[in-house]
Amino acid sequence: MKKKIIIANWKMSLSQAQALALTQALLESIKDRPLDNLELVVCPSFNVLSEVGRLLAKSNIALGAQDCCWEEAGAYTGEVSPQVLKEIGCQFVILGHSERRKYLGESDQLINSKVKSALKNGLAPILCVGETFEERQAGNKDFVIMQQLEKGLSGVNLGSADRLVIAYEPVWVIGSGQAVAAAEAEHTNQVVRQVLLDHFAPQKIEEQIHLIYGGSVNPENIKEFMLEPTIAGALVGGASLEAKTFSGLIAAAQKAV
Ligand code: PGA
């Protein structure tokens, strides 16, 4: 059985010095605790990615980026190549986060080309999907998520060594301190699984794809999510920014799996 996965999304919340201090503190806090049944990933911002990668190099924590370009190289001012991310040790990349969809107007088509480019360069995409409050109030939650998945995964093939993470993140609970009920996240993940079945063989979904939940996950509520059958981990923002809180979350997750 694949291990559950906990992914820290540091967003743009930390200075260079804070990110390095947090990495050291995190390594310190888990050094005597084998992660056995859990996979751990941290996604710092670009400025500090290489340095955090160097600190993590011999640890059991993997490195992820928060975005990547849809192309590998060329005249794309301000963009970061998935090839270079791979070169500096990244294994994962968050794509289609709701903050990028909202503030940068990222479309499902653009996200789809990034997913393909990430896979081509040996990175595992962490594809984020989720509804806004308005979409939910209008009764369109499942439809919105199915559309984001259909478009985001259009033409995507998974080779035998490829991995994919789908993070269901209800946009309106991100950073709110109030997660949705675990049972509801489980229901949505089953909708996600249904869509995935149109794209991938059941065995591939089982072995190579993690369906996870994100949105105000913390040390107190992580257990509920980890106990649900299709929730294979969590994407954690706010609660990953402080080593003590995050290692408490990891410990609570480990107990549940
Ligand atoms: P949050 O963020 O844990 O602070 O709600 C999650 C995310 O945006 O990935």
Side-chain angles (χ1 to χ4, degrees):
M1 224 174 77
K2 65 185 179 229
K3 292 180 184 183
K4 298 215 175 190
I5 189 166
I6 304 286
I7 303 168
N9 176 9
W10 291 352
K11 309 192 180 186
M12 200 182 72
S13 307
L14 303 169
S15 70
Q16 182 111 344
Q18 286 170 330
L20 296 177
L22 176 57
T23 309
Q24 301 274 23
L26 196 56
L27 286 168
E28 189 59 29
S29 72
I30 61 163
K31 79 171 187 304
D32 301 321
R33 252 194 6 236
L35 289 172
D36 292 347
N37 51 3
L38 218 55
E39 239 187 306
L40 202 54
V41 184
V42 298
C43 302
S45 49
F46 285 129
N47 60 303
V48 80
L49 209 45
S50 300
E51 245 180 296
V52 170
R54 271 195 288 277
L55 292 175
L56 296 180
K58 289 194 176 63
S59 77
N60 46 6
I61 305 178
L63 186 68
Q66 296 176 16
D67 186 39
C68 74
C69 187
W70 61 98
E71 294 287 349
E72 284 165 15
Y76 302 98
T77 304
E79 289 296 322
V80 178
S81 157
Q83 202 171 51
V84 173
L85 292 178
K86 184 72 185 174
E87 197 181 307
I88 62 174
C90 285
Q91 296 177 45
F92 294 84
V93 58
I94 298 173
L95 296 173
H97 191 282
S98 61
E99 286 147 15
R100 296 196 64 84
R101 291 180 191 259
K102 179 177 170 193
Y103 300 124
L104 292 125
E106 289 202 1
S107 67
D108 288 311
Q109 286 71 18
L110 178 74
I111 294 161
N112 176 249
S113 55
K114 291 183 177 192
V115 168
K116 288 177 178 159
S117 174
L119 284 167
K120 185 164 168 248
N121 287 283
L123 297 170
I126 301 162
L127 173 61
C128 300
V129 297
E131 83 286 3
T132 63
F133 189 67
E134 294 69 34
E135 288 164 341
R136 181 186 187 83
Q137 290 297 87
N140 290 334
K141 184 193 85 173
D142 289 357
F143 176 73
V144 166
I145 289 158
M146 288 164 86
Q147 286 283 300
Q148 288 175 340
L149 285 167
E150 287 293 353
K151 293 180 183 163
L153 294 174
S154 169
V156 169
N157 293 309
L158 281 189
S160 57
D162 290 337
R163 295 181 59 187
L164 175 65
V165 180
I166 308 287
Y168 166 54
E169 296 206 300
V171 177
W172 51 285
V173 304
I174 292 176
S176 71
Q178 185 64 55
V180 298
E184 188 185 333
E186 168 66 18
H187 164 83
T188 310
N189 269 11
Q190 289 188 19
V191 173
V192 170
R193 192 168 182 281
Q194 281 303 315
V195 179
L196 293 182
L197 281 166
D198 291 338
H199 290 262
F200 308 108
Q203 199 187 345
K204 263 197 192 301
I205 299 174
E206 196 47 49
E207 289 169 8
Q208 294 171 243
I209 305 181
H210 278 79
L211 306 188
I212 68 172
Y213 167 77
S216 294
V217 175
N218 60 39
E220 287 73 46
N221 63 22
I222 181 75
K223 181 174 167 215
E224 297 161 42
F225 293 105
M226 300 297 268
L227 289 174
E228 295 291 345
T230 64
I231 301 180
L235 181 53
V236 186
S240 72
L241 296 174
E242 212 258 318
K244 197 158 169 262
T245 310
F246 193 51
S247 71
L249 186 151
I250 295 163
Q254 279 187 300
K255 268 193 215 136
V257 296

